[in-house]
Amino acid sequence: MNRLHLIIYIALLTALPLSAQSLKDDLVQNTSFGGYAISKFEATTNDDAAKQVDMSLRLLRLYVDSRLGDFAMKVQMQLNGNTSGINGPRLVDAWVEWQHWKEMRVKVGQFKRPFTFENPMHPWLLGRGDYAQVTKRLAGFNDRTGEHASNGRDFGFQLQGDLFKSQHDGHRWLHYQAGIFTGQGINFSDRNTRKDVIGGLWVAPIKELQIGTFAWTGNYVDNNNQTHERRRFAIGANYNGRWTARAEFAADNANGKADGWYAIVGTPSWKRTRLFAHYDVYREAKSWTQSKNLYGLSLQHTPHMNLMLQANWAFADDRAAADRHYHNADIQIYWRF
């Protein structure tokens, strides 16, 4: 018996370093490094603007993607044209997700809040020069509560999955996602015992179309220890075929209330060139006297899979501003590596 124990012990000592080496090799082989940058040249006829002509680095992101068995991991840093304070270099993503089953994945860390179709979208895929006003104000970019810029992200724990596989084309009919978050945005610790609960549910009657609804309840505690409630919901649809189309409505029924909506349509690609038309409204206090309405066109050309040029124009009807009617135009250059 003692001899058997010795044999097992020696076998374990021999196997463990090999397992560790195998684990290391697996991690190295499934780890990738990359990034992308967006440069922006812009002009406006708005007399209230701080600058009427400007050029800047809209953002630069560097990331590491990795996979280890059933676990996917991501770390992503961002640098903006403003390089100081909380809007300067910062960690935007740091998460790990267990992906053994498509029907249930478990994610923990700092990542996108599961609110609206547009929030999780990569800037490259938006079809225009920026996120919609309602996405930025109600999904945690430039949040109406006063939360620091968080790129639609927070620290939390999330379950998500795709159910009911189609026998025709393999797409899943139903998607769900639900998470618990601190409510304080990226790179900040929680300031109270309450948590934000955010979730979404959508159906995909065909592979190219998703129709869904989202809900969010929680709060944000500012630097003066004042609590700002969040009671938000959204509905929308997203179509991605030869043509693309996306439309969403979202509202916040706390802190004086607010709502907004947008719609965007993109043509099929013609010699790597696409045209998009978009309409974008945000109303603070759910009032037309406080509304900002944007009517725009975007033209984008992709000469290479890692390079895109985009020209954007919008006419603004800003009913709360001294200079109510004005034009915005910009050219943006996207490249990734």
Side-chain angles (χ1 to χ4, degrees):
M1 184 64 70
N2 290 335
R3 184 176 297 177
L4 179 59
H5 286 170
L6 180 61
I7 293 172
I8 294 173
Y9 180 69
I10 293 173
L12 286 173
L13 288 178
T14 306
L16 282 175
L18 291 175
S19 298
Q21 183 62 45
S22 177
L23 196 65
K24 179 181 177 181
D25 292 343
D26 190 38
L27 187 61
V28 169
Q29 291 172 9
N30 292 286
T31 298
S32 61
F33 300 83
Y36 66 95
I38 307 175
S39 295
K40 186 176 183 179
F41 306 84
E42 59 186 322
T44 181
T45 62
N46 183 2
D47 291 335
D48 296 333
K51 295 180 181 180
Q52 292 191 312
V53 178
D54 196 15
M55 55 183 173
S56 63
L57 176 68
R58 179 180 159 194
L59 61 83
L60 168 67
R61 285 187 178 167
L62 303 173
Y63 63 82
V64 180
D65 281 329
S66 189
R67 187 168 191 91
L68 187 58
D70 290 332
F71 293 89
M73 295 157 277
K74 187 182 188 75
V75 174
Q76 183 169 221
M77 298 291 297
Q78 176 170 312
L79 172 69
N80 288 70
N82 176 4
T83 58
S84 62
I86 57 176
N87 292 321
R90 60 190 184 275
L91 179 70
V92 290
D93 285 297
W95 54 261
V96 58
E97 185 175 46
W98 181 64
Q99 299 180 341
H100 181 74
W101 295 311
K102 289 184 180 297
E103 293 80 6
M104 186 186 75
R105 287 165 282 165
V106 183
K107 193 173 192 176
V108 64
Q110 185 167 284
F111 52 91
K112 284 280 192 176
R113 288 158 163 152
F115 189 74
T116 75
F117 282 116
E118 188 171 77
N119 181 32
M121 293 182 66
H122 193 288
W124 189 284
L125 302 175
L126 290 175
R128 55 180 172 177
D130 204 353
Y131 292 86
Q133 297 178 91
V134 69
T135 305
K136 292 191 289 185
R137 297 293 283 166
L138 298 186
F141 285 78
N142 181 23
D143 200 89
R144 67 184 294 262
T145 60
E147 176 189 275
H148 63 281
S150 291
N151 300 92
R153 293 165 166 87
D154 200 356
F155 187 91
F157 170 87
Q158 177 178 277
L159 294 177
Q160 65 174 334
D162 298 281
L163 307 175
F164 311 124
K165 184 177 180 180
S166 168
Q167 298 301 313
H168 172 64
D169 57 15
H171 88 277
R172 302 280 175 146
W173 294 94
L174 182 68
H175 174 86
Y176 72 90
Q177 53 192 31
I180 299 174
F181 300 85
T182 68
Q184 292 302 122
I186 62 174
N187 306 324
F188 272 65
S189 59
D190 204 352
R191 286 178 171 162
N192 62 17
T193 58
R194 292 180 59 187
K195 299 293 180 282
D196 283 19
V197 179
I198 310 173
L201 184 70
W202 66 75
V203 296
I206 58 175
K207 185 175 182 179
E208 297 82 5
L209 176 65
Q210 300 89 41
I211 303 169
T213 184
F214 307 83
W216 179 350
T217 180
N219 64 71
Y220 165 72
V221 181
D222 65 23
N223 292 332
N224 297 316
N225 207 34
Q226 297 295 311
T227 300
H228 304 267
E229 298 294 326
R230 290 168 167 142
R231 296 193 300 275
R232 301 175 179 178
F233 74 93
I235 56 173
N238 182 42
Y239 178 81
N240 190 15
R242 290 190 65 247
W243 288 77
T244 60
R246 190 170 68 255
E248 297 191 85
F249 169 87
D252 188 352
N253 291 317
N255 300 316
K257 300 184 180 182
D259 64 8
W261 55 91
Y262 73 89
I264 182 169
V265 176
T267 66
S269 179
W270 180 75
K271 293 185 177 180
R272 300 184 179 180
T273 301
R274 301 186 70 189
L275 178 67
F276 294 83
H278 36 93
Y279 172 55
D280 184 348
V281 178
Y282 177 72
R283 303 190 308 168
E284 192 63 50
K286 292 188 177 181
S287 168
W288 283 108
T289 61
Q290 298 292 313
S291 71
K292 184 176 181 179
N293 313 281
L294 301 175
Y295 309 82
L297 294 172
S298 296
L299 183 67
Q300 68 181 40
H301 178 61
T302 310
H304 185 273
M305 62 180 295
N306 291 324
L307 177 65
M308 184 171 72
L309 311 176
Q310 188 178 76
N312 304 290
W313 165 83
F315 171 73
D317 178 12
D318 190 346
R319 300 182 183 183
D323 185 4
R324 175 173 168 175
H325 296 137
Y326 54 89
H327 299 267
N328 294 324
D330 66 67
I331 295 175
Q332 299 190 38
I333 305 172
Y334 300 67
W335 69 95
R336 55 191 177 191
F337 48 90

